[in-house]
Amino acid sequence: MAASVAYRPARRPLPASLMSKPVLYAMVVVAMVVSGAQGGSVKHYKWKVDYQYWSPDCVEKVIISINGQYPGPTIRVREGDTIVVEMENLMPTEAVIMHWHGMQQRGTPWYDGAGGVSQCAINPGETFVYRFQAEKAGTYFYHGHLGLQRTAGFYGSLIVDVGRGVQEAFEYDGELSILLNDWWHRSAIEQGLGLYSDPFRWVGEPQSLLMEGRGKYNCSLVSGGDAEEAAGDRPRCDETNKQCKPLVLRVQPGLKYRLRLASVTSLSSLNFQIEDHNMTLVEADGNYVEEVVLDNLNLYSGESYSVLIEAYKQPPGGRKTFWVTAHVQGRLPKTTPALAILVYGDGEATTPVSSPPLAPAAWNDTAFSLRQSRMIVAKKGTIPPPASSDQQIILLNTQNRINGVIKWAINNISLVPPTTPFLPALKFGLKLAFDHTIPPVSYPMTTYDIFSPPKNPNANFGTQIYRFPFNSTVDIILQNANSLTVNNSEVHPWHMHGHDFWVLGYGHGKFNPEVDPQAFNLKNPPLRNTVPLYPYGWTALRFVANNPGAWFFHCHVEAHLHMGMGIVFAEGIEHLDRLPRSTMGCGLTKTWLP
Ligand SMILES: *[C@@H]1O[C@H](CO)[C@@H](O)[C@H](O)[C@H]1NC(C)=O
Ligand SMILES: *[C@@H]1O[C@H](CO)[C@@H](O)[C@H](O)[C@H]1NC(C)=O
Ligand SMILES: *[C@@H]1O[C@H](CO)[C@@H](O)[C@H](O)[C@H]1NC(C)=O
Ligand SMILES: *[C@@H]1O[C@H](CO)[C@@H](O)[C@H](O)[C@H]1NC(C)=O
Ligand SMILES: *[C@@H]1O[C@H](CO)[C@@H](O)[C@H](O)[C@H]1NC(C)=O
Ligand SMILES: *[C@@H]1O[C@H](CO)[C@@H](O)[C@H](O)[C@H]1NC(C)=O
Ligand SMILES: [Cu+2]
């Protein structure tokens, strides 16, 4: 379901929902052999993945890098281009998988890069080639999708420009870009171990927040002296390291900039501000939105935005530098805000004379966040959702205890990715690959108190998946609840693979299937691939199951997904042609290859 907008050029592919069946099937098959089916070109990238010492917040750590860079290299193509990434895994003992966040992978679901779902992991020493089309202009990113590899720094930006000769829907003179992240000093591997240990060890709040991979930790807080550091007893911390030099955004007076923002945080929701500058929101997750002027912007993990900023002709007070900040929102902040510097002209990036702006609202002011979410609506001309749905699924999000270990479950099932990825398992009818019973489409809600910790905190591990009839319209209601802690309910940003969905509404409390749908926004709901589920609330979304494949839909908090907070659904598997052999060879596909 492409976000088709009326002012886009005619050469843009028709949204699949408007195509006749034969046309769609033809496209599915053809897309794999013909590169740049819409006349785009093929962009090749050669990546070497390896561990690397890096000091993103001045504290040295081992990260997963691409071509020795952190963040990874930016992919920049035009709409309709084919992206080819040849990825060599040089890490001696760790496998990898890369996900192209926001790419719909129509006709190439096997290159979606989702561990346990679309492909086998790329083992040490192996080279894997991803090949897919950049279907829709917008701001995107890529990140590791195996275990907690995003937390290890394995990500970068993916920007798709409008087609050649096509005008953007808005004008600007220059472009800036920031990838936002949160950062831990403990390794991703150690964090992962803690999450399945008994007693359970939570990852805790991040040590730093980063902008474009740069932050600043207070080195005095790293205990021990030079002797300990020399002995390897404490990490190196050097506040003069170039790698943690603050990010500088440079503008020329009087010009207008498009600032691309994306959050790849592992845990934190963020609030972004530029001191004394408003931002006009124009794009969200690769879809145009009605322009809205904001002085701060919430970003949930997995979301991306474009905002326009106008540089003053004469900055107030003759100032040349301003603060750019990101605060933790939605969790009790224990991390100092991320800081970057906006600089006018070609002068030095000196520290602004003012104090950085404070957070615009209390961390737990859900009403504030909800108000902003509701301000984001689709740009006029965006394809509206189907007027009704064929099926409604209510997904209760709960925190549970299974065999003494804390997990998250959806309708009482805590997802465990199987050793045989779902896509080949479905395609080849591998009955033993996963549990083929259909998971519940709702939870016995009448007796469930979402405001209290569950009375019976047990849940089940599972591999069941939802199967949707091809081209059917599905409503999903995400229902939040209390966690295992009294009076605590967390924000969960949910991200869908393979589709954009329309966000029909948000509500507080328990969703009422009789009453609440009457207030759904069917007029101008925004098309997104990620949406927040607020504490004690519900979020409703609609999508058309018209992209053959098996797809993840999960909480984008890295640790939560690792603890089982996600579902997998499939549609149109019968319309898929050959799966590339390179995506198989693990689990049951080891001995069973077509
Ligand atoms: C897909 O579904 C829509 C309604 O939701 C319908 O109008 C259209 O004809 C269907 N297309 C195919 C290819 O089945
Ligand atoms: C860094 O930490 C030390 C020790 O707690 C403290 O005295 C100092 O003020 C901190 N520096 C900054 C810039 O916060
Ligand atoms: C930001 O926009 C608001 C509302 O349009 C306006 O009142 C305010 O003065 C603007 N602030 C700046 C710094 O331009
Ligand atoms: C928000 O959290 C603060 C503590 O940081 C607490 O004092 C306050 O009561 C909370 N507000 C709400 C609405 O829960
Ligand atoms: C969830 O699963 C647990 C463990 O099997 C079970 O005890 C509990 O009754 C289930 N809850 C519901 C509502 O099905
Ligand atoms: C939880 O919240 C309720 C309602 O706000 C309050 O009455 C109760 O004291 C709180 N319990 C704890 C343990 O904070
Ligand atoms: Cu979550």
Side-chain angles (χ1 to χ4, degrees), residues 94-246:
E94 191 172 349
V96 291
I97 290 181
M98 189 62 92
H99 171 58
W100 316 93
H101 188 108
M103 300 288 107
Q104 298 194 354
Q105 301 289 1
R106 264 167 215 284
T108 53
W110 38 79
Y111 291 139
D112 184 46
V117 181
S118 61
Q119 70 168 97
C120 296
I122 308 161
N123 288 316
E126 290 180 351
T127 298
F128 184 90
V129 183
Y130 287 98
R131 185 186 183 95
F132 54 91
Q133 196 174 42
E135 234 186 275
K136 185 157 57 81
T139 306
Y140 306 99
F141 48 90
Y142 60 82
H143 63 79
H145 212 313
L146 184 62
L148 300 184
Q149 285 180 342
R150 201 171 81 236
T151 302
F154 195 32
Y155 44 77
S157 294
L158 196 170
I159 293 170
V160 182
D161 287 308
V162 291
R164 209 169 295 281
V166 176
Q167 282 270 304
E168 258 301 3
F170 37 83
E171 290 184 345
Y172 50 95
D173 306 302
E175 205 182 291
L176 303 162
S177 181
I178 313 179
L179 207 50
L180 296 127
N181 199 36
D182 46 8
W183 196 251
W184 282 257
H185 293 160
R186 282 186 206 276
S187 74
I189 288 171
E190 186 175 350
Q191 291 182 46
L193 170 63
L195 295 176
Y196 63 81
S197 290
D198 184 5
F200 177 82
R201 293 198 203 179
W202 174 237
V203 301
E205 297 301 312
Q207 276 71 60
S208 299
L209 299 180
L210 312 181
M211 289 206 203
E212 207 55 24
R214 293 158 180 279
K216 188 133 284 177
Y217 193 72
N218 181 346
C219 282
S220 324
L221 302 177
V222 180
S223 57
D226 292 347
E228 282 84 356
E229 183 181 291
D233 243 10
R234 74 168 174 92
R236 294 183 189 183
C237 189
D238 176 4
E239 287 178 22
T240 66
N241 190 320
K242 284 205 302 289
Q243 289 169 352
C244 60
K245 219 173 132 194

Side-chain angles (χ1 to χ4, degrees), residues 391 393-395 410-413 415 434-443 462-468 566-569:
Q391 178 171 189
I393 293 184
I394 301 179
L395 301 177
I410 303 304
N411 289 355
N412 221 31
I413 300 171
L415 182 69
F434 64 92
D435 179 348
H436 286 253
T437 53
I438 301 295
V441 295
S442 70
Y443 194 87
T463 56
Q464 300 95 310
I465 67 170
Y466 294 88
R467 312 271 320 244
F468 299 135
I567 64 162
V568 170
F569 62 86

Side-chain angles (χ1 to χ4, degrees), residues 491-493 555 557 560 565:
V491 178
H492 303 286
C555 175
V557 169
H560 289 182
M565 198 170 208

Side-chain angles (χ1 to χ4, degrees), residues 38 51 61 85 108 111 176 181 232 298 442 449 461 511 553 590:
Q38 270 77 43
Y51 297 119
K61 191 185 154 177
V85 180
T108 53
Y111 291 139
L176 303 162
N181 199 36
N298 285 326
S442 70
D449 182 1
F461 290 121
F511 177 75
F553 179 45
K590 192 159 50 186

